[in-house]
Amino acid sequence: MLQTLSIKQFAIIDELEVHFGEGLTVLSGETGAGKSIIIDAIGQLIGMRASSNYVRHGEKKSIIEGIFDIDESKEAISILRDLSIDIDEDFLLVKREIFSSGKSMCRVNNQIVTLQDLRKIMQELLDIHGQHETQSLLKQKYHLQLLDNYAEDTYKPLLDDYVSTFDQYRAKKKELEDLETADQALLQRLDLLKFQYEELQEAQLTDGEVSQLETDIKRIQNSENLSLALNNAHLTLTDEHAITDRLYELSNQLQSISDILPDKYDRLKEDVDQFYYTLDDAKHQLYDELTNTEFDEQYLNELEARMNVLNSLKRKYGKDISELIVYQDKLDDEINKIENYEESTSQLREEIESLYDKVFRLGKKLSQERRVVAQSLRDNIVDEIQNLQMKDANLEISFKPLDAPNREGIEFVEFLISPNKGEPLKSLNKIASGGELSRIMLALKTIFVKTRGQTAILFDEVDSGVSGQAAQKMAQKMKDLAQHIQVICISHLPQVATMSDQHLFISKTSKDDRTTTHVKELYGEERIDEVARMISGASVTELTRQNAKEMIEQNHLND
């Protein structure tokens, strides 16, 4: 759950710290006071897109920090460990800095993380649901995603196998289409491929040849200096003052010393002997090198000609020699494929047919699994929405065959609803009013929150369009939900406010042409006054205050 939220220089918020409790927290206040801005700030902590517009005018950056209790979130703790993020007791510090340039930086327990990793962690802790998400319920393309999310791991291996098979099928089908539509172009390309292959084959490329050529050319070009150096080095080891002769004499002298002083100089004699043998080997190597070093102009010309050929090929193809060798093999494969066009397409068709059969076989199994889960989901949704003052509502999850399989499956999945008895099932976007859609959304969230295992959920004015008994039912549903996880809600409904365990009032003030948002937790008479304002609007009477007081007391009788 979210325990503390700290906001600095964010939109119209100068500096603000909010402490959240367990259960249901309601944020209320006049329109434009900054309620949604607080939700936007929390959104930054879960990885929503940053914008320079969030930075308070005239400031360099915004800073949003949140302290989360992660004691009950095993999934989040597991992800933190996988990311090698230090875990300090059961609390998590999340920090997001947004700069006026539009860039942002994320930290978790003072360790910098990517936005992607931040989202991965926070999706296990907190969910924000706003009106824009409610509208997504109207779009059929999200319905299958909702079903699969509800299923969790029930048929995940089967779904993964289906997706993998479909991707293979689509790739093979694309390969065949490319071959069929480019028949004439392939023949023209074949001539180019053959020319390139023959050119590279004739060059007889060898990996590492360029490096060897450079060494050999340098050797011949510097043969005179090399011979002089070799000769001088050899003379040093062979003339009348040769080092090896002196070392030989030194070894004999050390042997004489060792005969008198046993053990003391044995190690030194061994080192001198080893050095002697090393230099003696060097003498022979230098001699062999010296006899093989001479200026060979013809051989130099051959080497330089070969180097020119290789450099020309490198420039022409824009690849180094090792890449050209790989490219030559690819040319050979492509030439064989084009020359065996009929055989290639026939084999591809067989592979496509086999994969298509497998796609349908897996797709049918997947549909069977989905239908079982869909029945459970449907029953849960109906129970929830009927408890939200839609007693005659019915909902079905429709499965219709697709004209062709896609990456999601072989059937079209859609939620259909009949909000009233006797009315036919229709698409959500054709039947649901704003209030009905809010209640359906809350029903879905109630179901999915229990399966997801998150520890907090934020509702941003999702109760719009609801009033009367339906509002009371929605308030009770949020209260029930808050028994399982922390619920934070921006609401205009007094029914929701009176159910809350914590009531925060959002207001704004203006000073020196600057607007600032404030948050105050309401208790006692202040809370009664705010609920009364929510009941009656701007004009608060003693009657509405009494009504507000009774609602608060009634809704907390069993607390």
Side-chain angles (χ1 to χ4, degrees), residues 75-87:
E75 294 82 0
I77 292 173
S78 176
I79 293 171
L80 290 167
R81 286 174 176 158
D82 289 343
L83 295 173
S84 299
I85 294 174
D86 295 332
I87 303 175

Side-chain angles (χ1 to χ4, degrees), residues 399-425:
F399 289 78
K400 293 181 181 179
L402 292 168
D403 294 335
N406 60 31
R407 202 168 185 268
E408 284 72 40
I410 62 172
E411 291 185 310
F412 177 95
V413 176
E414 184 177 17
F415 291 7
L416 303 176
I417 188 169
S418 169
N420 301 298
K421 185 182 294 186
E423 293 186 15
L425 292 163

Side-chain angles (χ1 to χ4, degrees), residues 174-186 341 345:
K174 177 68 165 56
E175 187 177 346
L176 178 62
E177 290 172 354
D178 290 344
L179 281 174
E180 290 177 338
T181 56
D183 191 2
Q184 185 59 38
L186 285 174
Y341 172 78
T345 55

